[in-house]
Amino acid sequence: MNRLGIGSATNQATLSESRSPRASHVTLALNEDGAWRLLRNGHPYTIKGVGGYTHLELLRELGGNTIRTWSIDQLEASADGRPVLDECDRLGLTAMVGIWVNQPRHGYDYSDQTMLQAQRDRVRASVRRYRNHPALLIWGLGNEMEGDGQDPLVWRELEVLTQIIKAEDPHHPICSVLAGTGHQKIRAMQRHFTSLDLLGINSYADAENVDQELARQGWNRPFLLTEFGPRGHWEVPATSWQAPLEPTPVEKIATYSRSYDAVMHQGRGLCLGAFAFQWGQKQETTATWFGMFLPVQ
């Protein structure tokens, strides 16, 4: 291995020879008309996704086809006791498998070589564990780890991690997920992080404008809307005692609909799918703000 811990060509040849016959092969293709497509085993695949990993039979019944997780430990068991990816495979669903990337706001130091090497080893082990699973669609490398996007050390390390994943698994695209498009972070990212296949954007009240903002910052490649939903508690009016006012169910439905239509049917046609947030129970400000299910009593 080289100094970045990236596998050699010999390692890649061994990987190719050891691939499971049921392992999926996912690629990005550019049509003659300039439109991008996601191809799964040679067939066009549009992501109709949710953020979450439970209630999988209901997701299939409602027409969804893809889940999104945020870390490898979420794959251990679904609500009915089966491993999440095995249950996805049984139901004909796929997954954007999240690999957690540590965040500076949580005290992670991107100048600490010991920390960096531990993270690289963890990422490599995660890819080796799940790269042959037939339900794997895309790797989700990190979630909102960039802060304001102005620290080049974070982008450079994401480039290293991307190269590690590609060396271990050249058959599935990689998506890194950012918290919106503010602070000109897309421009900063493109100076240091060049090997990314798909850009993921989490956005709520401003989701309708994601494509326009990406265009303004020079992003002309495919992207995913990796979280969208009602206006966040940081985006709504508050009471006189500073309690945020939760949107009504009717308002939430309208926001989901407008956001999805804006990224999938308007703009430049670069969005290859979206993940509604949150397919599960989540206590954030209230028990009902984002979660589509209540906790089981």
Side-chain angles (χ1 to χ4, degrees):
M1 292 190 178
N2 63 23
R3 66 182 181 86
L4 298 180
I6 299 173
S8 66
T10 302
N11 290 340
Q12 293 190 45
T14 302
L15 168 61
S16 178
E17 293 168 2
S18 64
R19 265 176 63 79
S20 165
R22 295 196 62 237
S24 61
H25 187 189
V26 182
T27 59
L28 292 167
L30 184 61
N31 292 345
E32 293 181 357
D33 61 2
W36 285 92
R37 293 188 301 168
L38 191 67
L39 300 177
R40 180 174 184 252
N41 298 326
H43 302 287
Y45 194 92
T46 299
I47 294 173
K48 301 174 183 178
V50 296
Y53 46 93
T54 60
H55 307 282
L56 300 183
E57 290 197 0
L58 179 59
L59 175 63
R60 183 185 65 172
E61 291 173 11
L62 296 177
N65 61 11
T66 310
I67 65 167
R68 179 192 170 199
T69 64
W70 289 263
S71 64
I72 291 298
D73 58 10
Q74 294 171 335
L75 299 180
E76 295 306 313
S78 59
D80 57 12
R82 295 188 183 93
V84 171
L85 290 183
D86 290 352
E87 184 69 352
C88 284
D89 186 38
R90 184 181 75 84
L91 295 171
L93 305 173
T94 65
M96 176 174 163
V97 174
I99 301 175
W100 188 256
V101 172
N102 292 312
Q103 302 180 357
R105 66 190 178 101
H106 295 156
Y108 193 84
D109 182 359
Y110 273 80
S111 66
D112 186 319
Q113 293 302 310
T114 300
M115 284 186 173
L116 293 180
Q117 189 58 54
Q119 179 163 261
R120 293 170 189 176
D121 292 343
R122 174 174 55 81
V123 168
R124 182 182 296 104
S126 298
V127 173
R128 287 179 176 177
R129 182 174 180 181
Y130 290 106
R131 63 192 175 191
N132 283 328
H133 201 289
L136 171 63
L137 182 72
I138 293 168
W139 295 108
L141 179 64
N143 182 73
E144 301 186 357
M145 65 270 126
E146 76 283 358
D148 65 5
Q150 302 310 304
D151 184 353
L153 293 179
V154 176
W155 300 126
R156 290 169 186 163
E157 185 59 23
L158 285 167
E159 176 70 16
V160 171
L161 296 176
T162 295
Q163 292 297 332
I164 289 173
I165 295 174
K166 288 178 179 289
E168 296 291 342
D169 177 16
H171 303 292
H172 297 94
I174 301 166
C175 175
S176 279
V177 177
L178 311 185
T181 59
H183 306 285
Q184 298 292 306
K185 65 176 67 174
I186 309 302
R187 293 190 190 278
M189 179 193 73
Q190 291 179 95
R191 288 195 291 270
H192 307 285
F193 185 16
T194 59
S195 297
L196 185 64
D197 299 308
L198 281 163
L199 177 63
I201 299 293
N202 295 343
S203 187
Y204 292 86
D206 201 42
E208 297 175 58
N209 302 314
V210 164
D211 184 72
Q212 298 95 305
E213 183 57 28
L214 290 177
R216 192 177 70 81
Q217 295 190 45
W219 183 265
N220 296 308
R221 291 156 53 200
F223 72 94
L224 301 174
L225 188 60
T226 39
E227 288 180 20
F228 74 104
R231 289 178 296 160
H233 49 82
W234 61 94
E235 298 172 315
V236 298
T239 66
S240 59
W241 57 94
Q242 300 307 305
L245 295 171
E246 182 173 353
T248 68
V250 171
E251 291 171 332
K252 291 181 181 181
I253 291 170
T255 305
Y256 274 111
S257 179
R258 288 196 305 268
S259 298
Y260 185 82
D261 184 64
V263 296
M264 296 302 298
H265 305 303
Q266 302 172 26
R268 299 172 295 162
L270 295 178
C271 188
L272 303 184
F275 294 86
F277 188 84
Q278 197 254 350
W279 188 257
Q281 193 279 325
K282 182 175 177 59
Q283 176 66 42
E284 185 169 340
T285 306
T286 72
T288 57
W289 200 299
F290 294 105
M292 298 184 189
F293 299 88
L294 293 174
V296 177
Q297 302 297 326

